[in-house]
């Protein structure tokens, strides 16, 4: 009996791929329902990771119907508002709202596979597997567990003492509803897809979303002890004193309170000692900054590869986990390296010079909205 902890995108995708092939699983999710909270911004569906994972699950065509047309356009601006680089996109990295993608996968599952409102309090090994205690006082048992529960995974401590480290950069998320009517200047700044504005260790990142919405991130290089709180719009404006007035006006108001999102990452190339009855996928396995554009894509690739390994070795979960972990590690390291390098480039003191050179060398932008 396999229990998956976490019902973001990867956990339900793994459950779906196993379930349609006759492997019964349970997914435990802390949220009370699918719509309890906003899931974050847009993401690319990438070749080599997310796209083939969805194809293997048989969900790719349905996902493509949710794509935001033109959402892969990109603008790079400086702090004065000047456009330094522009790309209209070519459709090869289609943009999709992660909440819509999650809904697609979750609703493909039979009812009852996901146990909502099941926040894990503790997981303990027993002679016969695991005892999973929930906050509501109930206790479940499992033969094997898969951690799909994000950066602060409850499953990871079963395998390693390793925890994510603060990168030195924090995003503060702001949302703008009915942008055409309420925030026309913000919409002009963002353009059709993704926008970066960078200068001297600070940045504004934004993207267009479905339903005429915008999402901005004020990116700040700050010590960790300064970011475990909520910022006000007025405070955010003060972090950008020498930026164009249009940017400052956007920061000065938003729909809902700003949400602080410190960026954490696990060390590059350091995973966990293999265990016969537990493993990790997605951010639980390799959380990184969003600057490789692969977070959710890698999580989906993990889910597809783990499902394939389990189905290939249905009576040997130890071997299945081992095969999956080798594949995952070999794929992941280059994206961890890319993520760290691009984060440094984006918020260097000479920014946006390095990012401009990077984009021009590629001819196409890299990057994914914040998770």
């Amino acid at each position: 009996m396999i229990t998956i902890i976490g019902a973001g995108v990867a956990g339900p995708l793994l459950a779906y791929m196993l379930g349609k092939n006759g492997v019964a699983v349970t997914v435990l999710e802390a949220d009370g329902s699918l719509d309890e909270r906003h899931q974050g911004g847009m993401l690319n569906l990438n070749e080599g990771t997310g796209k083939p994972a969805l194809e293997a699950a048989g969900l790719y065509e349905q996902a493509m119907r949710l794509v935001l047309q033109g959402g892969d356009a990109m603008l790079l601006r400086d702090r004065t508002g000047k456009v330094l680089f522009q790309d209209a996109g070519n459709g090869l990295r289609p943009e999709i709202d992660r909440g819509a993608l999650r809904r697609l996968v979750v609703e493909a599952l039979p009812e009852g596979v996901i146990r909502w409102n099941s926040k894990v309090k503790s997981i303990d090994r027993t002679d016969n597997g695991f005892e999973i205690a929930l906050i509501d006082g109930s206790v479940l048992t499992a033969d094997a567990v898969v951690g799909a529960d994000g950066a602060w995974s409850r499953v990871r401590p079963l395998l390693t003492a390793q925890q994510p480290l603060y990168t030195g950069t924090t995003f503060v998320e702001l949302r703008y509803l009915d942008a055409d009517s309420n925030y026309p200047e913000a919409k002009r700044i963002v353009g059709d897809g993704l926008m970066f504005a960078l200068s001297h260790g600070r940045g504004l990142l934004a993207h267009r979303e479905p339903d005429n919405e915008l999402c901005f991130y004020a990116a700040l290089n700050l010590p960790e002890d300064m970011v475990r709180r909520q910022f006000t719009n007025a405070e955010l404006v003060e972090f950008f004193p020498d930026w164009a007035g249009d940017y400052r006006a956007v920061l000065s108001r938003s729909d809902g309170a700003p949400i602080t999102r410190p960026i954490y990452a696990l060390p590059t190339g350091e995973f966990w000692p293999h265990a016969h009855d537990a493993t990790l996928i997605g951010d639980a396995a390799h959380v990184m900054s969003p600057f490789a554009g692969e977070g959710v894509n890698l999580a989906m690739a993990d889910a597809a590869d783990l499902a394939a390994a389990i189905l290939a070795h249905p009576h040997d979960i130890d071997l299945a986990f081992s095969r999956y972990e080798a594949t995952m590690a070999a794929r992941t390291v280059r994206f961890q390296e890319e993520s760290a390098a691009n984060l440094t480039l984006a918020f260097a003191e000479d920014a946006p010079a390095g990012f401009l050179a990077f984009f021009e060398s590629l001819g196409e932008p890299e990057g994914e909205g914040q998770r």
Side-chain angles (χ1 to χ4, degrees), residues 12-61:
L13 185 63
L14 173 61
Y16 176 73
M17 296 181 76
L18 291 176
K20 73 176 186 174
N21 287 284
V23 179
V25 298
T26 297
V27 182
L28 302 181
E29 170 55 43
D31 286 353
S33 71
L34 181 59
D35 299 310
E36 180 168 298
R37 60 191 173 89
H38 191 271
Q39 293 299 302
M42 305 295 290
L43 60 97
N44 310 110
L45 294 179
N46 292 338
E47 301 287 347
T49 50
K51 284 183 180 180
L54 289 170
E55 288 170 346
L59 297 174
Y60 180 70
E61 295 302 323

Side-chain angles (χ1 to χ4, degrees), residues 278-362:
T279 196
L280 307 171
I281 63 175
D283 280 356
H286 43 63
V287 64
M288 62 189 79
S289 89
F291 283 92
E294 287 284 354
V296 178
N297 284 275
L298 283 174
M300 291 190 290
D302 290 349
D305 286 341
L306 180 54
I310 292 170
L311 294 172
H313 306 283
H315 304 297
D316 193 342
I317 200 73
D318 182 10
L319 178 59
F321 282 4
S322 177
R323 293 282 175 86
Y324 151 71
E325 288 162 3
T327 300
M328 177 277 299
R331 174 180 54 236
T332 299
V333 172
R334 77 176 181 91
F335 293 115
Q336 291 178 313
E337 293 172 344
E338 182 180 324
S339 169
N342 290 349
L343 179 69
T344 299
L345 202 63
F347 302 111
E349 284 303 308
D350 67 346
F355 231 44
L356 177 59
F358 172 71
F359 284 156
E360 290 177 336
S361 71
L362 289 176

